[in-house]
Amino acid sequence: MILRVEQLNKELFSAQFHILRNGMEVGQMRVEGKLPSMEAKIWVSIFEKSYSLTYSGGLMKSAPLPNKEGKSFRPYRIDSDVQGTVGNVYQIEKKEGWFTIIDFFEMVYFGMKCNLYPIGLGKEGGKHPVYCGETQIAQVEKAGEIYNDLHHFDIYAIDQQAAEIAVLFVAYMYINANFKPGEKATKSYVKYTSITTNKTLKSKYNPDFVKRIQP
């Protein structure tokens, strides 16, 4: 399954996306924030299901991982309109050896633990594999060139559930890296060039994964 999450507009405190499959709309995403907080409220509809993501950190900005391996932070609760709270998503900083820290996202979704690993490949943009356990279920790709502060994400997923998980990760990625409340989109061009060198992160990337995905 191949989806595109495409930003339609960016206002001072909001942003709107539609989600396409084969050129047909299968969902929407809406983000709303306010000053002075960088946190936001996100609503996602996909395949006739509706979710909301709400910041749930409160005064606790971060929480330690077991065995002092690092920390989790910026948690968001995931709620379903029908089933109530179904999970959460947060960022991880994990120690690797004495001097290296790797960053990635983790989501608990209906009891399943999944991870998204951000990998920069320079001119090729960002390739972000999504794993549940040791199995890759999706990949989120993001171009390195951004016009007028409007972002888009391409999703390659093995099935509908994997696609839904990837869309929720995209919502979280956007408010972490791209949403800036108080700034309105203007005519602009920005080129990002990020190259990941960490071997652990790079080992998660399988360039052949997307070749197996059908629309």
Side-chain angles (χ1 to χ4, degrees), residues 4 11 22 40 42 75-76 78 83 133 149:
R4 167 164 281 214
E11 302 298 333
N22 293 324
I42 309 111
Y76 272 69
I78 303 171
Q83 296 162 289
D149 200 25

Side-chain angles (χ1 to χ4, degrees), residues 99-193:
F99 305 107
T100 303
I101 295 177
I102 59 173
D103 292 271
F104 55 94
F105 298 153
E106 187 164 277
M107 180 189 300
V108 177
Y109 177 80
F110 287 98
M112 297 185 300
K113 184 176 288 187
C114 303
N115 297 107
L116 178 144
Y117 299 96
I119 299 170
L121 294 181
K123 294 181 179 180
E124 295 182 48
K127 312 288 186 180
H128 310 308
V130 178
Y131 282 77
C132 283
E134 299 298 319
T135 303
Q136 184 174 358
I137 64 166
Q139 184 160 294
V140 177
E141 300 194 351
K142 190 173 190 297
E145 295 181 311
I146 308 299
Y147 293 88
N148 304 327
D149 200 25
L150 299 177
H151 301 258
H152 69 265
F153 306 80
D154 293 310
I155 292 172
Y156 300 83
I158 61 172
D159 56 27
Q160 181 173 310
Q161 185 181 63
E164 292 169 6
I165 291 170
V167 166
L168 293 172
F169 267 128
V170 163
Y172 186 69
M173 287 173 62
Y174 177 72
I175 58 99
N176 263 276
N178 307 123
F179 184 60
K180 301 177 180 66
E183 294 184 14
K184 190 173 182 179
T186 58
K187 289 186 177 180
S188 61
Y189 169 76
V190 179
K191 186 173 184 178
Y192 297 96
T193 303

Side-chain angles (χ1 to χ4, degrees), residues 21-45:
R21 183 186 185 192
N22 293 324
M24 302 289 290
E25 187 173 278
V26 294
Q28 296 181 345
M29 187 170 89
R30 179 165 55 93
V31 181
E32 291 188 3
K34 60 183 179 180
L35 292 177
S37 174
M38 292 302 294
E39 308 307 338
K41 179 87 172 186
I42 309 111
W43 291 267
V44 177
S45 64

